Amino acid sequence: MRDSFLPFSPPLICKEEIDEVVDTLRSDWIATGPKVKLFELEFASYVGAPAALAVSSGTHAMQIALAALGIGPGDEVISTPMTFCATIHVIEQAGAVPVLVDVEQDTLNIDPNKIEQAITSKTKALMPVHLYGHPCDMNGILSIAEDRNLCVIEDAAHAVSAKHKGRMVGNLGTMTAFSFYATKNLTTAEGGMLTGDLEGIDNARIWSLHGMSRDAYNRYGNDVSWYYEVVLPGFKCNMTDIQASLGIHQLRKLEGFQKRRRDIANQYFQALSQIPEIELPTEREGIESAWQLFVIRLHLDRLTIDRNRFIQEMKALNIGTSVHFIPIHIHPYYRDKYNYRPNDFPVAHNNYLRLVSLPINLRMSNQDVDDVIEAVHDVTTHYRR
Ligand SMILES: *Cc1c(COP(=O)(O)O)cnc(C)c1O
């Protein structure tokens, strides 16, 4: 057993990021300036999107997307119970109604076969979540959206660099929201990015900065630099150059980061595939997961302990693990407001009881990976039925 605790998901920040932040702090621009612009351009080009808007969080990226697409009271948005609460919160905050659809057994992503029956005359958008970094079945989702004239706003908080049939996540749906929170594959401490077409991102940019439009400024020319018009009751969620300083360098290193994540995932696959008490994650044909999370599922019928106890036992062996996610419909707010019962979404709920996220991050050494593998071996062997 290792003698120090292995944290679940610490960030990796190096000299280039730190130097860039210091350079920004010594400059005249610390809020939204040239480094945000550069980060947006490089990010759009990386994912192959026409345009990108840097914002203060992944949550705000989704919130701005809903506003820019005109989704609000009277509208319904279809999403998944197997996500972080933020995905569904932004629908509620927009005054729209979230309509949940159960997930696929293998990927735990929203099941396109169950979307049709949830569509009503009020449905305006689909909000799939690329859970754990594995892209949703976008062929299925996009074809439904096209048939029914719906927007597709992707929660790609886990899926920066993920590929779907050769295409990068970020240029698939109407708009895509990324998170750069501290635990994500690319981090700016807090931050996010919204990608989409030029018109959509222009509109989203106005929503992200008080609803202020500079079009009039451009019409009048530089001598009236003080002039702007407020055209919307906008939000305030622009990214700062301090955050972009981190993002620019994290993005340039991302391919290397991803190689290492995949390498850790492969070590887990090799070492854990022989353990009958656990099920390993899926990576479907034609998919490249971003491996934001490596989530195993316990075969509870083969163990004498439940998932919670499994996590305690891992912790006793100095390994930090977690659960992603507690399904939306069992949280008190949503449970009570929409009268959900656990088995309304049986695939999400049954799997929730079995989920354990193992550490997968750039700070782990191969020894750390081996320690996790050994701990999983020890716990499953000890509590084998
Ligand atoms: C992290 C996360 C978010 C929220 O991103 P923030 O940048 O923290 O606002 C949204 N959805 C999912 C699935 C996430 O994991």
Side-chain angles (χ1 to χ4, degrees), residues 55-62 82-88 129-132 155-158 177-184 189-193 292-293 324-325:
V55 289
S56 48
S57 71
T59 304
H60 280 123
M62 294 189 285
M82 194 51 91
T83 186
F84 183 56
C85 59
T87 320
I88 311 303
V129 179
H130 304 303
L131 197 69
Y132 310 149
D155 178 343
H158 295 175
F178 295 89
S179 167
F180 306 139
Y181 179 64
T183 58
K184 304 291 158 72
E190 295 278 5
M193 191 76 81
Q292 151 64 197
L293 292 164
H324 298 87
F325 289 97

Side-chain angles (χ1 to χ4, degrees), residues 304-324:
T304 59
I305 54 172
D306 65 8
R307 184 269 316 278
N308 300 3
R309 179 74 188 280
F310 185 93
I311 286 176
Q312 279 174 19
E313 295 299 325
M314 290 293 284
K315 191 170 172 215
L317 295 174
N318 270 336
I319 306 294
T321 60
S322 191
V323 175
H324 298 87

Side-chain angles (χ1 to χ4, degrees), residues 22-35 241-242:
V22 171
D23 177 71
T24 301
L25 291 173
R26 293 192 196 283
S27 79
D28 290 339
W29 281 106
I30 56 172
T32 305
K35 290 185 184 174
D241 270 24
I242 302 172

Side-chain angles (χ1 to χ4, degrees), residues 104 107 109 128-138 141 154 159 161-165 167-169 172 283-284 286-291:
E104 302 167 329
T107 62
N109 280 327
V129 179
H130 304 303
L131 197 69
Y132 310 149
H134 188 296
C136 294
D137 173 356
M138 290 305 285
I141 290 167
E154 296 155 73
S161 89
K163 289 203 186 89
H164 179 275
K165 321 249 178 218
R167 282 174 70 184
M168 297 283 284
V169 167
L172 299 167
E283 191 174 30
R284 285 188 182 178
I287 292 298
E288 228 174 87
S289 175
W291 293 110

